[in-house]
Amino acid sequence: MNSSIIRRRGLRQNSLSLPSINGGVCRSEKILEDEPFGLKDLIDDCENLRQQLGVKQWSVIGHSFGGYLALIYAAGHPDSVANVIFECPTFDFTWTAQSLLTKAASIFKTLGDAERSEQCLHLAASNLSARELFDRYMQFGEDLGEKKELIYSPYETLTDDSLYTEEEWDEFGEKTDIHLSRLREEGKIFESAVPLLSRLSVPSLLILGKHDPVTCERHIRAYKDAAQGETIVMKGCGHTPHKEQPALYRDTVSNFILASTF
């Protein structure tokens, strides 16, 4: 894969200088209408970037949907990965959607909307497919408006909103919608990655926010049963420990990498 395609997919560097890929969103280039794009492209980009940089092995961090990608990548390319950190990941969209719907129900209840609260609980207990549950959750999220953020964390955190204009944020949102729409249409993201946990052959760490609904109890049990890696729960955090407790997150990740690499 050439460098122009790598750039288009949306390579970014986080504060720990570890690779992060989520093509076609935010500052990365827009996915073109006639450009092939799917789940495999995101996984392949990780490996192609490693090869282009001449890195023998690296540490991989996956947050939220990135945890889904990190698991697939680490299981499929064990010789390329030294260790992997999962931060509030989803490994199964059915489990996550059901958990998010349950949390949305509690938010609707506090807002006095008993009807929507009951609808969310009914869906969370249903046997609908991952795609159907995901779509219904997205609809209820739109109904919550700005209150949707309460699903992911009860804490206020500093944001970088001031770095960009309102027009730039609108552009970022449009790119993200295209990215999500293409992955949804392909449908592979709705396949559970849980069976891959038993294939992890490198040291791993699961970082959880105490109040995060994305990585539900079923995720945690599956990880502990199959991967047998280390699990750390950060108090005072929702879905974004890296933003809510940055110093603690930095130290936790750094200590894990040093301990498992050297």
Side-chain angles (χ1 to χ4, degrees):
M1 184 174 290
N2 63 41
S3 59
S4 64
I5 296 298
I6 287 287
R7 179 169 56 87
R8 183 177 298 123
R9 294 301 186 202
L11 304 184
R12 300 191 300 273
Q13 294 291 325
N14 64 21
S15 59
L16 292 168
S17 297
L18 298 177
S20 174
I21 296 179
N22 206 5
V25 302
C26 293
R27 291 177 296 174
S28 61
E29 294 182 10
K30 184 177 180 179
I31 298 170
L32 303 178
E33 184 175 347
D34 60 348
E35 180 182 3
F37 178 78
L39 181 63
K40 188 176 184 298
D41 291 305
L42 296 174
I43 304 302
D44 288 347
D45 282 351
C46 295
E47 184 61 8
N48 284 314
L49 176 61
R50 182 194 66 80
Q51 293 174 359
Q52 286 194 20
L53 294 177
V55 176
K56 183 177 180 181
Q57 285 186 321
W58 56 10
S59 299
V60 176
I61 294 179
H63 169 254
S64 196
F65 173 61
Y68 184 86
L69 299 177
L71 175 55
I72 297 173
Y73 175 63
H77 300 274
D79 294 336
S80 302
V81 179
N83 43 59
V84 59
I85 300 99
F86 303 108
E87 179 194 357
C88 301
T90 179
F91 301 135
D92 186 297
F93 271 76
T94 296
W95 294 353
T96 292
Q98 289 173 332
S99 180
L100 289 171
L101 283 164
T102 301
K103 188 64 177 290
S106 69
I107 303 300
F108 278 120
K109 186 175 182 179
T110 62
L111 296 175
D113 193 336
E115 182 179 356
R116 282 193 174 91
S117 179
E118 287 298 322
Q119 289 174 347
C120 286
L121 290 176
H122 177 74
L123 286 168
S126 72
N127 293 319
L128 291 177
S129 67
R131 183 193 296 270
E132 291 172 310
L133 288 169
F134 177 78
D135 289 348
R136 294 302 302 274
Y137 167 70
M138 294 296 287
Q139 293 170 7
F140 281 110
E142 290 294 323
D143 292 339
L144 280 171
E146 293 182 358
K147 296 294 184 180
K148 181 180 178 180
E149 294 301 318
L150 294 176
I151 295 176
Y152 297 94
S153 179
Y155 306 104
E156 291 187 8
T157 57
L158 296 176
T159 67
D160 58 356
D161 290 1
S162 60
L163 294 176
Y164 304 103
T165 66
E166 185 173 341
E167 290 75 17
E168 287 174 318
W169 280 114
D170 288 341
E171 180 184 353
F172 294 164
E174 180 185 357
K175 291 179 181 179
T176 300
D177 289 342
I178 295 172
H179 165 95
L180 178 59
S181 177
R182 296 286 286 275
L183 291 176
R184 180 194 170 281
E185 289 171 4
E186 181 190 42
K188 291 184 178 179
I189 61 172
F190 300 119
E191 299 173 5
S192 177
V194 170
L196 297 179
L197 286 169
S198 62
R199 290 174 49 186
L200 277 181
S201 58
V202 298
S204 63
L205 171 65
L206 176 62
I207 299 177
L208 304 169
K210 178 69 174 178
H211 302 284
D212 172 47
V214 171
T215 311
C216 65
E217 286 297 324
R218 283 180 288 184
H219 284 92
I220 299 170
R221 288 198 301 270
Y223 175 79
K224 290 182 176 179
D225 290 344
Q228 298 180 349
E230 185 179 356
T231 302
I232 292 179
V233 179
M234 294 190 178
K235 298 179 180 179
C237 291
H239 186 51
T240 54
H242 66 273
K243 184 168 67 173
E244 295 162 298
Q245 296 281 357
L248 177 59
Y249 182 83
R250 176 200 62 208
D251 293 343
T252 299
V253 171
S254 298
N255 291 338
F256 168 74
I257 291 176
L258 290 173
S260 61
T261 305
F262 301 101

